[in-house]
């Protein structure tokens, strides 16, 4: 339970790609700094947990650090599935520690609800959930119980985006009018576990990654999306499942501005760099244009090596992005994560620590009031994404799905009492 030197234990639910490349290294680093306590990871089966425990980079980066796996891969068939085990793990946690949800998109809702029911603070990888009503429900449960719920939109911690937000909010850019954004993930993703869940009936490239630049445009400009249309191209994954592997989306904003967002799993494996992403937003003042232009994969670093690394997508010649997430040598041995991927996870964990530290020692009611006050303050500040200040993302998600399944018809977003999405009707 909360104390003055509150360092929460952390349970990560999901042991896949994002846990390996971002979440676990960040949590290990926070543990190294004494900011979190014990780490547990629960996955559907033992195989990914074994891979995490034996990952050479993680072992070299964090010597002597480890996590408790559920299921214990040393004792079960690595392929045997335990879909309900995460619930038992949650029940065994002391209340008011931290759960990080890193499961496929459609499982965020049940996992987050179960974590809140177990009295845990929650951090989730994006998207929070797939339905607006679920976001509203989660916001209420979190607030009522004084439990933090934060969404890991790491682009908010990229300094170039914070610079753009500041310039925009200080009136230096004028009004947003027209923009283009793109995020193309590598082709080899098609061979990964994506083929089992990012299929036409569950998700699509727009739902999976357009949310980053749509959230970012809202984060920078303060505008909310009011209509969406998305067209997609269906292709087969190697296992024969079908997915919308290329998408083109158009977002109309409340002031009439338009953002085009293109997404795909098609960036060549042979190309240097892990993806291709960026945006150009055109603004206007009284009688002049203004713009923000980002090459977000950043191509200013070039490495040409004598052999390629062991990870999927590694190339002999590479143009690594130093901004999102890298592991660099650190004093005392090992490697430490740097970049906005790390800063984002740290900021979310620090929000929980601040909440519990301020509430420490208070009686039940007083503690609840303190935690609720901090939840409201964070919502209003708007730097960390939370259900109350970023649920437009869930409306975008619903609208995007409706549109792509209706061959690109425009879907209108309503806010307020009657919040929801509907196909635009033409007279
Ligand atoms: N840029 C980003 O912010 C970013 C990038 C990648 C992934 N993500 C998000 O992270 C999430 C996971 O993506 P990923 O690429 O790691 O997927 P993945 O398929 O590699 O891993 C999913 C993990 O969830 C686990 N899981 C599934 N059902 C479970 C259950 N019932 N109980 C416990 N664990 C269960 C699986 O065992 C697996 O370890 C998705 O929501 C995705 O959108 C975000």
């Amino acid at each position: 339970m909360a104390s003055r030197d509150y360092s929460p234990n952390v349970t990560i639910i999901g042991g896949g790609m994002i846990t390996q490349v971002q979440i676990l290294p960040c949590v290990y680093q926070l543990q190294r700094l004494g900011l979190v306590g014990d780490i547990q990871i629960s996955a559907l089966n033992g195989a990914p947990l074994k891979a995490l425990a034996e990952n050479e980079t993680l072992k070299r980066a964090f010597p002597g650090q480890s996590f408790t796996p559920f299921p214990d891969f040393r004792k079960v068939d690595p392929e045997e599935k335990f879909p309900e085990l995460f619930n038992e793990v949650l029940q065994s946690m002391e209340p008011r520690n931290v759960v990080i949800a890193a499961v496929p998109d459609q499982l965020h809702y049940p996992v987050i609800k179960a974590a809140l029911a177990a009295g845990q603070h929650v951090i989730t990888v994006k998207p929070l959930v797939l339905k607006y009503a679920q976001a509203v429900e989660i916001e209420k449960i979190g607030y009522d119980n004084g439990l933090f719920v934060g969404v890991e939109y790491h682009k908010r911690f990229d300094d170039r985006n914070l610079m753009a937000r500041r310039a925009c909010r200080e009136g230096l850019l004028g009004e947003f009018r027209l923009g283009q954004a793109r995020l193309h993930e590598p082709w080899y993703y098609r061979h990964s576990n994506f083929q089992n869940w990012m299929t036409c009936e569950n998700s699509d490239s727009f739902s999976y990654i357009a949310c980053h630049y749509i959230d970012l445009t809202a984060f920078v400009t303060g505008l909310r999306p009011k209509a969406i249309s998305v067209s997609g191209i269906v292709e087969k994954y190697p296992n024969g499942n079908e997915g919308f592997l290329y998408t083109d989306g158009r977002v109309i904003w409340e002031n009439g501005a338009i953002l085009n967002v293109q997404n795909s799993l098609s960036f060549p494996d042979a190309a240097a760099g892990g993806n291709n992403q960026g945006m150009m937003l055109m603004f206007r003042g009284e009688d002049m244009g203004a713009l923000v232009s980002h090459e977000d994969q950043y191509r200013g670093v070039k490495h040409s090596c004598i052999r390629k690394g062991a990870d999927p997508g590694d190339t002999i010649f590479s143009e690594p992005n130093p901004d999102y997430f890298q592991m660099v040598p650190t004093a005392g041995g090992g490697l430490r994560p740097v970049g906005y991927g790390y800063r984002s996870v740290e900021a979310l964990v620090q929000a929980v620590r601040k909440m519990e530290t301020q509430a420490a020692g208070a009686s039940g009611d007083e503690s609840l009031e303190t935690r609720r006050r901090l939840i409201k303050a964070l919502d209003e500040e708007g730097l960390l994404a939370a259900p109350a200040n970023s649920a437009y993302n869930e409306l975008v998600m619903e609208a995007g799905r409706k549109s792509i399944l209706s061959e690109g018809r425009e879907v209108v977003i309503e806010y307020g009492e009657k919040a929801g999405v509907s196909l635009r009707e033409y007279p």
Side-chain angles (χ1 to χ4, degrees):
M1 196 56 110
S3 73
R4 283 204 185 280
D5 56 352
Y6 173 84
S7 289
N9 295 327
V10 174
T11 297
I12 304 171
I13 318 254
M17 187 259 285
I18 197 72
T19 297
Q20 183 196 320
V21 304
Q22 185 193 353
I23 304 297
L24 182 56
C26 292
V27 176
Y28 270 153
Q29 176 65 13
L30 294 171
Q31 187 183 51
R32 174 187 268 156
L33 297 174
L35 300 175
V36 307
D38 296 336
I39 303 170
Q40 313 189 106
I41 309 182
S42 171
L44 184 58
N45 56 323
L49 298 172
K50 182 171 190 296
L52 285 174
E54 294 176 356
N55 181 284
E56 284 305 323
T57 307
L58 290 174
K59 283 204 290 197
R60 193 153 56 85
F62 304 100
Q65 292 180 246
S66 61
F67 64 88
T68 308
F70 296 92
D72 186 340
F73 57 84
R74 291 156 300 204
K75 296 187 182 149
V76 298
D77 171 350
E79 296 313 325
E80 189 184 346
K81 292 194 167 52
F82 298 85
E84 299 301 328
L85 180 62
F86 76 87
N87 238 318
E88 286 173 40
V89 177
L90 293 174
Q91 297 307 323
S92 69
M93 291 173 73
E94 285 284 311
R96 308 232 306 267
N97 283 284
V98 170
V99 169
I100 303 184
V103 284
D105 296 1
Q106 66 276 20
L107 293 181
H108 290 195
Y109 175 65
V111 165
I112 293 169
K113 276 209 27 180
L116 291 171
Q120 304 302 325
H121 299 289
V122 177
I123 295 169
T124 178
V125 296
K126 66 83 204 156
L128 171 64
V129 281
L130 297 175
K131 297 257 180 270
Y132 177 76
Q134 298 170 342
V136 172
E137 183 189 354
I138 284 169
E139 176 200 342
K140 181 165 170 15
I141 300 173
Y143 181 75
D144 286 352
N145 294 286
L147 296 170
F148 175 78
V149 180
V151 195
E152 204 274 316
Y153 275 110
H154 40 245
K155 285 189 181 297
R156 291 175 172 222
F157 286 83
D158 184 342
D159 288 336
R160 48 165 80 73
N161 297 327
L162 287 158
M163 288 163 63
R165 177 177 163 106
R166 180 177 166 200
C168 191
R169 303 294 172 105
E170 289 179 0
L172 293 176
L173 293 170
E175 186 185 8
F176 172 51
R177 301 308 292 150
L178 190 70
Q180 257 189 331
R182 62 180 197 283
L183 205 174
H184 298 288
E185 296 287 19
W187 183 276
Y188 73 82
Y189 276 24
R190 298 171 184 224
H191 292 267
S192 74
N193 196 33
F194 276 67
Q195 58 188 323
N196 296 319
W197 67 272
M198 208 189 90
T199 46
C200 291
E201 64 283 12
N202 288 324
S203 188
D204 52 76
S205 296
F206 181 87
S207 297
Y208 174 58
I209 30 180
C211 56
H212 281 298
Y213 278 99
I214 297 170
D215 181 66
L216 199 54
T217 303
F219 181 72
V220 168
T221 64
L223 295 166
R224 287 184 310 184
K226 72 167 190 191
I228 308 277
S229 49
V230 186
S231 298
I233 301 173
V234 176
E235 284 188 0
K236 279 195 193 317
Y237 283 105
N239 68 358
N241 287 341
E242 291 190 329
F244 290 105
L245 300 186
Y246 303 82
T247 55
D248 183 272
R250 182 166 62 182
V251 183
I252 314 269
W253 299 79
E254 58 188 323
N255 68 339
I258 303 171
L259 177 74
N260 165 253
V261 194
Q262 293 199 333
N263 300 102
S264 70
L265 305 190
S266 74
F267 185 63
D269 293 347
N275 59 25
N276 185 285
Q277 55 178 322
M279 66 177 187
M280 182 149 89
L281 306 182
M282 311 302 298
F283 294 75
R284 64 157 298 156
E286 190 63 21
D287 188 26
M288 66 186 296
L291 75 81
V292 168
S293 179
H294 291 173
E295 284 301 321
D296 288 336
Q297 73 278 314
Y298 185 67
R299 294 284 187 250
V301 179
K302 300 178 199 307
H303 287 178
S304 196
C305 302
I306 56 169
R307 62 174 176 275
K308 61 179 189 173
D311 288 330
D314 282 349
T315 43
I316 284 200
F317 174 78
S318 65
E319 294 184 348
N321 180 353
D323 297 339
Y324 162 52
F325 193 89
Q326 292 291 337
M327 303 275 270
V328 299
T330 189
L335 304 171
R336 76 186 159 93
V338 293
Y340 60 84
Y342 171 71
R343 293 195 295 276
S344 161
V345 175
E346 183 186 336
L348 290 159
V349 169
Q350 289 288 22
V352 177
R353 285 173 51 87
K354 180 174 173 191
M355 195 176 284
E356 287 294 354
T357 305
Q358 291 200 5
S363 69
D365 283 355
E366 219 184 310
S367 161
L368 182 60
E369 272 322 301
T370 303
R371 288 180 281 127
R372 283 181 175 172
R373 191 167 28 78
L374 282 168
I375 290 171
K376 283 266 181 243
L378 287 168
D379 286 342
E380 272 158 34
E381 184 179 62
L383 290 178
L384 294 177
N389 68 19
S390 74
Y392 54 81
N393 283 314
E394 275 62 48
L395 288 165
V396 167
M397 197 76 70
E398 279 190 55
R401 288 297 293 162
K402 205 177 202 34
S403 178
I404 201 167
L405 294 173
S406 316
E407 298 185 355
R409 278 185 63 188
E410 192 173 25
V411 175
V412 180
I413 298 176
E414 285 275 345
Y415 291 91
E417 289 284 292
K418 293 196 178 135
V421 306
S422 56
L423 288 171
R424 181 181 293 287
E425 298 203 357
Y426 299 93

